[in-house]
């Protein structure tokens, strides 16, 4: 994977080297997922656990990440809104570190694990860095997993 965050609190985050999907739904439209609304860096893993516990639909964005085994690791998760923005800024088109798009992100929208009520979840646009919430039922969004170390 690609390291995209090193926090002063000892938290480090790695992005998967490629997308897990380019057409996944967030899942469970109309269902409020208890606990899956954290936006901060470091909360994607718990959001993903909460989504998996509250939404048993297979093949959703969180499900793809939670069931991913890559590079010998099986502790991948769907990034929170804050984590996804760090990906954009540091290894995507945000280019804050001067590395360019070393993550190979598409100029498209990516799901975060941050829910915004029963019908919406947050997403990150990787062309210009915008974040919006959108209907969880839409399936035109990309998915990129991350993991902590």
């Amino acid at each position: 994977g690609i390291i995209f965050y090193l926090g002063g609190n000892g938290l480090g985050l790695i992005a998967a080297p490629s997308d897990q999907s380019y057409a996944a739904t967030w899942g469970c439209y109309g269902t409020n997922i208890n606990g899956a609304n954290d936006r901060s860096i470091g909360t994607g893993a718990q959001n993903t656990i909460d989504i998996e516990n509250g939404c048993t639909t297979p093949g959703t964005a969180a499900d793809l990440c939670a069931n991913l085994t890559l590079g010998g690791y099986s502790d991948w998760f769907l990034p929170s809104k804050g984590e996804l923005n760090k990906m954009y800024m540091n290894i995507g088109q945000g280019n804050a570190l001067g590395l360019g798009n070393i993550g190979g992100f598409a100029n498209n929208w990516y799901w975060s694990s941050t829910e915004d009520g029963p019908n919406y979840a947050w997403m990150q646009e990787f062309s210009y860095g915008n974040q919006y919430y959108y209907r969880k039922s839409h399936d035109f969004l990309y998915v990129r997993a991350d993991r902590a170390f």
Side-chain angles (χ1 to χ4, degrees), residues 26-40 43-44 46-48 50-55 62 78-82 111-123 132-137:
W26 197 90
C28 291
Y29 181 84
T31 302
N32 192 49
I33 306 298
N34 189 31
N37 60 352
D38 270 324
R39 300 174 179 205
S40 304
T43 62
Q46 187 60 53
N47 281 351
T48 301
D50 293 337
I51 295 165
E52 286 289 274
N53 287 336
C55 179
L78 186 63
S80 69
K81 181 178 183 265
W111 280 122
S112 84
S113 62
T114 306
E115 183 184 58
D116 195 284
N119 299 324
Y120 298 97
W122 284 92
M123 58 186 184
Y132 296 107
Y133 57 88
Y134 211 68
R135 285 186 298 277
K136 297 191 294 188
S137 58

Side-chain angles (χ1 to χ4, degrees), residues 52-121:
E52 286 289 274
N53 287 336
C55 179
T56 58
T57 305
T60 63
D63 191 56
L64 291 172
C65 296
N67 291 297
L68 178 65
T69 298
L70 183 66
Y73 296 96
S74 58
D75 57 349
W76 298 92
F77 51 86
L78 186 63
S80 69
K81 181 178 183 265
E83 291 164 359
L84 200 55
N85 190 57
K86 277 293 181 196
M87 278 188 206
Y88 167 78
M89 292 302 298
N90 292 342
I91 62 171
Q93 289 86 327
N95 200 25
L97 301 176
L99 303 171
N101 184 16
I102 64 169
F105 292 93
N107 287 324
N108 213 313
W109 295 92
Y110 284 77
W111 280 122
S112 84
S113 62
T114 306
E115 183 184 58
D116 195 284
N119 299 324
Y120 298 97

Side-chain angles (χ1 to χ4, degrees), residues 135-147:
R135 285 186 298 277
K136 297 191 294 188
S137 58
H138 278 274
D139 63 358
F140 63 88
L141 278 75
Y142 283 64
V143 175
R144 179 73 64 101
D146 70 334
R147 60 178 296 275

